[in-house]
Amino acid sequence: MIVALKGLRKVFQSRGEVIAVDGIDLSVREGELFGLLGPNGAGKTTTISICTTRALPTAGVAVIDGIDVVRSPALARRSIGVVPQYNTLDRACTIFENIYFHCLYFGMSRPAARSRTDQLLGQFHLAERSSSYPSQLSGGLAQRVQIARAIAHRPKVLFLDEPSAGLDPQSRLAMWEAVRGLRQEGITVVLTTHYMEEADELCDRVAIIDHGRILVEDTPAALKSSVGAQRVYALELIERSGLADLTTQIQALSGVVRAEAMPAGVRVFAHAADGLLPEIIEIASASGLRDLTIQETSLETVFIQLTGRDLRE
Amino acid sequence: MATSVAHVQSASRTGSLPYARAFAGLLLRDLFVLRRELFPFVIRVCMNPLLFLFVFTFVMPHMSGGAALNPTAATGMNFGTVLLPGLMAVAIMFSGIAAVALPLAQEFGVTREIDDRVMCPLPVAGVAIEKICFSALQSMVAAAIVFPLAYYIPATPVVAHVSSWPVLFLVLVLASLTSGALGLTIGTSVKPQQIGLIFGVVVVPITFLGCVYYPWAALVHIRWLQIGVLINPIVYMSEGLRATLTPNLPHMPEWLILGMLLVFLVLLTTIGIRGFRRRVIS
């Protein structure tokens, strides 16, 4: 295992006791593209901060590429590349210099640093902007420079913290492309995200995290099939007094996997069966159906099933 | 896994070369950026001593009563001679603030650029020490720029001769490192939003009470102040340069100056590194 977290816990004491990470065990295989999916404040960034030596765990062990990151942080940093949520490019240096000096920090000779920088600028389609300053770049380009810089010293593991936060859709696709390209170089990638499409599209395996704990961990396909249904219907009702009856009634319909009473109405997990939707509508109409949303099964559905909440809530 | 962890850790103890290379890389980056901003650097260093010398040692002596400004008139020394080491000390101290405290405030507060530097394969303390060393280089250059200004501008001739080159060099290096450590301490202990305040609250008081414009011995008639200023590191910087550049003026003994500079260097470096670590590691 290239990344192995055991019993990781982080409690912040500054403003009362806040448990950010509450006993996380995680293993990432070499060459894998691994996603930590969860809502804001779930503990994703804290977990990444511990892995990348920026935060000290209250308890537990984090071993990366065979190095205990708490005991030997300086050594561990040689195996780690980091792209944080915010732009940390050196504002006083050009794009070229940002990558070039990064190479020097990691012990490359000057000619080696220069050729590595040129190669990365080419690989990430940044050659034209090599003499621009970070302040002149769009968010998407700055993100790409940060990825190029993070892998300049050929780390074993690259950590991307919310890589698509603040990116427009086109830049996000370009970033996905760049991240997929890394896999061909054999770099293990661990990313955090609260976009379920991102985790679904990009990751080999996903761990869903909430309140500092990992709820479930598997391939996106396996996670989705674990729901056992293809659709989720959320029914919003005006009249909620007969909710329990209504739920039982819907539950009895053929094609329905499960029906749950919610504060606003009923949530139905169902197979994509012909004629099921009209039946549900008909039954629900008696309670005054106000609105209906239909979702294909996604990682979001998995999260809803596990926590009863939306990712965005 | 346990054995491989142990193996890598023992290997790390033997190899300090990567640390040296990372440190050199950081220093090279800072020098590179400084070279690009050389003109603002020179202006920043020159402006304060230039104006001070111009007004107090050129303009004032041309007015009647200008001599009354001289705190050492009794010893037959002119004000220009008093100011030469003092203004060099201010330049050294101010470079420490400008090279470390102000950029740190920006990096901690607005841009978080520091995060990248902290990810270098170097212990966090090493990143902080690099800041001190780079600042010390700037301080020494600043002192070298101020010397000719302070020597040639005053209307009356400045009496300066180096009593001992090794001691002068030692004082310069210790004073420069101490000012870098002071900058680190200020930069890590003041909230980034309040960094503007330090000029009024820290820089101006330690300058005016730093025996810059008068020798420490001249404070003998205000005993409480003479004792009080001993907690100000700038006192030892000015007195150190006074002892080595203008030894005819009254000054503290050299062993005391060097000893106290060393004490402040260790103290401020320790506090600065602790603050730096607190800021970058949560």
Side-chain angles (χ1 to χ4, degrees):
Chain A
M1 290 297 160
I2 191 102
V3 177
L5 312 182
K6 209 166 229 162
L8 213 57
R9 231 175 107 78
K10 176 71 179 176
V11 182
F12 288 105
Q13 299 287 3
S14 52
R15 287 167 300 240
E17 195 168 277
V18 178
I19 302 172
V21 176
D22 193 10
I24 281 187
D25 297 301
L26 197 66
S27 302
V28 179
R29 297 181 203 113
E30 193 151 7
E32 207 168 31
L33 223 163
F34 191 92
L36 278 173
L37 175 69
N40 290 326
K44 306 185 299 282
T45 297
T46 309
T47 307
I48 294 269
S49 297
I50 294 171
C51 293
T52 56
T53 73
R54 291 298 316 284
L56 297 170
T58 311
V61 186
V63 177
I64 290 177
D65 193 23
I67 304 161
D68 184 325
V69 300
V70 180
R71 283 208 218 144
S72 318
L75 183 66
R77 283 183 212 125
R78 282 187 244 165
S79 304
I80 297 169
V82 192
V83 179
Q85 265 181 54
Y86 34 80
N87 178 348
T88 62
L89 292 174
D90 190 338
R91 311 294 200 277
C93 291
T94 63
I95 304 314
F96 180 92
E97 290 154 11
N98 260 281
I99 301 175
Y100 174 73
F101 282 117
H102 183 93
C103 292
L104 292 188
Y105 301 158
F106 282 85
M108 287 187 201
S109 69
R110 290 191 204 193
R114 197 163 294 127
S115 75
R116 175 70 172 154
T117 306
D118 284 331
Q119 182 235 319
L120 284 167
L121 289 174
Q123 181 183 338
F124 285 84
H125 312 291
L126 291 162
E128 282 172 22
R129 310 303 299 265
S130 69
S131 55
S132 304
Y133 283 87
S135 56
Q136 299 166 319
L137 298 186
S138 68
L141 272 178
Q143 180 72 284
R144 240 152 58 208
V145 178
Q146 294 215 85
I147 296 177
R149 184 180 66 173
I151 62 160
H153 59 288
R154 298 187 177 87
K156 290 279 181 55
V157 188
L158 175 67
F159 289 92
L160 295 159
D161 195 6
E162 296 282 356
S164 54
L167 293 193
D168 57 86
Q170 203 183 347
S171 302
R172 193 198 292 188
L173 289 179
M175 188 272 297
W176 286 3
E177 217 39 63
V179 171
R180 281 201 194 96
L182 297 180
R183 206 227 299 264
Q184 270 130 43
E185 296 179 33
I187 298 177
T188 308
V189 178
V190 177
L191 63 85
T192 74
T193 182
H194 62 274
Y195 297 111
M196 47 113 190
E197 326 86 68
E198 186 163 82
D200 198 351
E201 186 72 26
L202 215 50
C203 299
D204 300 321
R205 278 198 308 140
V206 171
I208 294 183
I209 177 171
D210 190 34
H211 296 307
R213 287 176 191 205
I214 289 180
L215 303 176
V216 67
E217 179 194 335
D218 213 326
T219 62
L223 287 175
K224 283 186 285 187
S225 71
S226 74
V227 176
Q230 282 122 23
R231 302 261 160 84
V232 180
Y233 302 117
L235 310 172
E236 210 177 298
L237 305 172
I238 299 167
E239 183 55 56
R240 281 185 284 261
S241 53
L243 212 55
D245 267 359
L246 183 67
T247 308
T248 332
Q249 259 179 297
I250 294 178
Q251 179 86 62
L253 292 174
S254 117
V256 170
V257 177
R258 197 169 63 257
E260 294 170 350
M262 301 291 295
V266 183
R267 185 179 280 146
V268 184
F269 295 85
H271 295 299
D274 262 359
L276 177 60
L277 184 59
E279 279 186 76
I280 292 176
I281 293 176
E282 199 184 323
I283 297 171
S285 296
S287 303
L289 182 61
R290 179 192 280 157
D291 199 6
L292 165 69
T293 49
I294 306 170
Q295 271 188 329
E296 294 289 320
T297 308
S298 64
L299 292 179
E300 173 111 28
T301 329
V302 179
F303 186 81
I304 292 169
Q305 196 183 26
L306 289 167
T307 66
R309 291 181 294 123
D310 270 330
L311 262 173
R312 282 170 202 85
E313 271 173 20
Chain B
M1 170 114 27
T3 52
S4 75
V5 171
H7 169 74
V8 176
Q9 279 169 357
S10 69
S12 76
R13 269 183 228 118
T14 56
S16 58
L17 183 68
Y19 293 172
R21 298 194 80 145
F23 192 89
L26 286 169
L27 207 54
L28 198 68
R29 178 262 168 208
D30 282 344
L31 286 170
F32 185 85
V33 172
L34 179 66
R35 195 186 64 181
R36 193 177 279 157
E37 291 161 4
L38 204 56
F39 185 67
F41 169 70
V42 172
I43 293 285
R44 187 183 80 204
V45 168
C46 288
M47 224 43 190
N48 173 52
L50 201 62
L51 287 170
F52 209 93
L53 288 161
F54 180 68
V55 172
F56 287 95
T57 67
F58 187 82
V59 176
M60 296 285 211
H62 283 85
M63 300 173 182
S64 60
L69 277 169
N70 186 358
T72 51
T75 61
M77 284 293 161
N78 64 57
F79 196 31
T81 306
V82 175
L83 280 182
L84 172 76
L87 289 179
M88 285 173 74
V90 171
I92 287 173
M93 181 273 294
F94 194 72
S95 283
I97 308 255
V100 185
L102 302 186
L104 269 185
Q106 190 188 346
E107 291 180 7
F108 285 142
V110 192
T111 64
R112 299 298 303 175
E113 284 163 75
I114 197 74
D115 287 19
D116 174 53
R117 248 49 66 69
V118 170
M119 286 313 294
C120 284
L122 185 71
V124 172
V127 180
I129 290 171
E130 187 275 334
K131 295 246 168 230
I132 296 179
C133 292
F134 172 64
S135 156
L137 285 177
Q138 281 196 46
S139 288
M140 287 196 264
V141 173
I145 292 176
V146 169
F147 182 83
L149 297 180
Y151 193 78
Y152 290 109
I153 291 178
T156 48
V158 170
V159 185
H161 72 90
V162 176
S163 57
S164 156
W165 282 101
V167 179
L168 172 65
F169 184 72
L170 205 57
V171 166
L172 263 181
V173 170
L174 279 177
S176 300
L177 288 171
T178 305
S179 73
L182 177 69
L184 185 70
T185 301
I186 292 173
T188 55
S189 55
V190 176
K191 279 197 191 132
Q193 308 89 298
Q194 292 170 344
I195 196 76
L197 270 178
I198 61 151
F199 282 93
V201 178
V202 181
V203 176
V204 173
I206 62 174
T207 307
F208 277 87
L209 301 175
C211 297
V212 168
Y213 310 116
Y214 41 82
W216 182 73
L219 287 176
V220 70
H221 303 296
I222 319 169
R223 192 71 183 152
W224 60 270
L225 188 62
Q226 194 178 31
I227 306 290
V229 297
L230 291 177
I231 57 163
N232 182 354
I234 315 304
V235 168
Y236 305 98
M237 298 182 193
S238 339
E239 285 290 300
L241 291 167
R242 205 158 274 141
T244 48
L245 282 174
T246 58
N248 293 343
L249 282 179
H251 57 77
M252 289 178 179
E254 281 168 5
W255 61 266
L256 180 69
I257 294 165
L258 291 174
M260 286 308 285
L261 280 176
L262 202 61
V263 167
F264 275 107
L265 175 59
V266 172
L267 185 73
L268 291 170
T269 304
T270 311
I271 299 174
I273 288 176
R274 199 170 291 167
F276 189 77
R277 198 176 275 138
R278 201 179 48 236
R279 278 294 174 90
V280 298
I281 306 279
S282 54

